[in-house]
Amino acid sequence: MAERFGETMSMKNLQVMPIEDWIKCIVYDTELLCKTLRETSKEHGKPIHKVLNIYDLKGISLIESTRNVSFLKQIDRTLSANYPELVSVILVVNAPSFVSGLYN
């Protein structure tokens, strides 16, 4: 599952829709992904249940970074708590250097 948070999670977008609603959208997408994994598992005759999550932060600005990092942490907590079997690896790409300090 790939998300282009650097492009889509601007302050403008977060002001239009609260973080809680963004989380609901991600949960909905994750449910669709689970359905697809079940169907694919049936087709191939073996369980397919792990997903590589890629978060692309290209374009994130320092002004938006604190709120976006908080948002990413909330996504991680939600997915890990509700879909622990699904979260295998989370890869963050194109992150500016200041993001690692905020994320830790």
Side-chain angles (χ1 to χ4, degrees):
M1 179 165 45
E3 298 285 350
R4 292 184 174 168
F5 289 120
E7 292 178 13
T8 59
M9 294 291 101
S10 67
M11 291 300 276
K12 181 180 170 186
N13 287 340
L14 287 176
Q15 289 172 355
V16 170
M17 193 163 79
I19 288 177
E20 294 77 22
D21 290 343
W22 281 105
I23 297 292
K24 288 176 186 176
C25 290
I26 290 168
V27 168
Y28 177 79
D29 287 346
T30 304
E31 286 294 326
L32 290 178
L33 176 63
C34 288
K35 180 182 177 202
T36 300
L37 290 175
R38 284 190 300 272
E39 292 168 354
T40 304
S41 294
K42 271 187 191 177
E43 288 174 19
H44 293 280
K46 62 180 180 179
I48 301 171
H49 53 83
K50 294 288 184 185
V51 174
L52 169 64
N53 294 287
I54 303 172
Y55 298 160
D56 185 352
L57 300 185
K58 182 179 179 181
I60 191 173
S61 73
L62 182 58
I63 294 169
E64 299 168 337
S65 62
T66 302
R67 187 161 183 180
N68 283 342
V69 169
S70 172
F71 177 66
L72 290 174
K73 287 180 178 181
Q74 194 169 351
I75 292 169
D76 290 345
R77 283 191 301 271
T78 301
L79 294 179
S80 295
N82 296 292
Y83 306 94
E85 73 286 355
L86 200 62
V87 179
S88 177
V89 175
I90 297 173
L91 178 64
V92 178
V93 298
N94 297 320
S97 58
F98 59 82
V99 171
S100 64
L102 294 170
Y103 204 81
N104 292 330

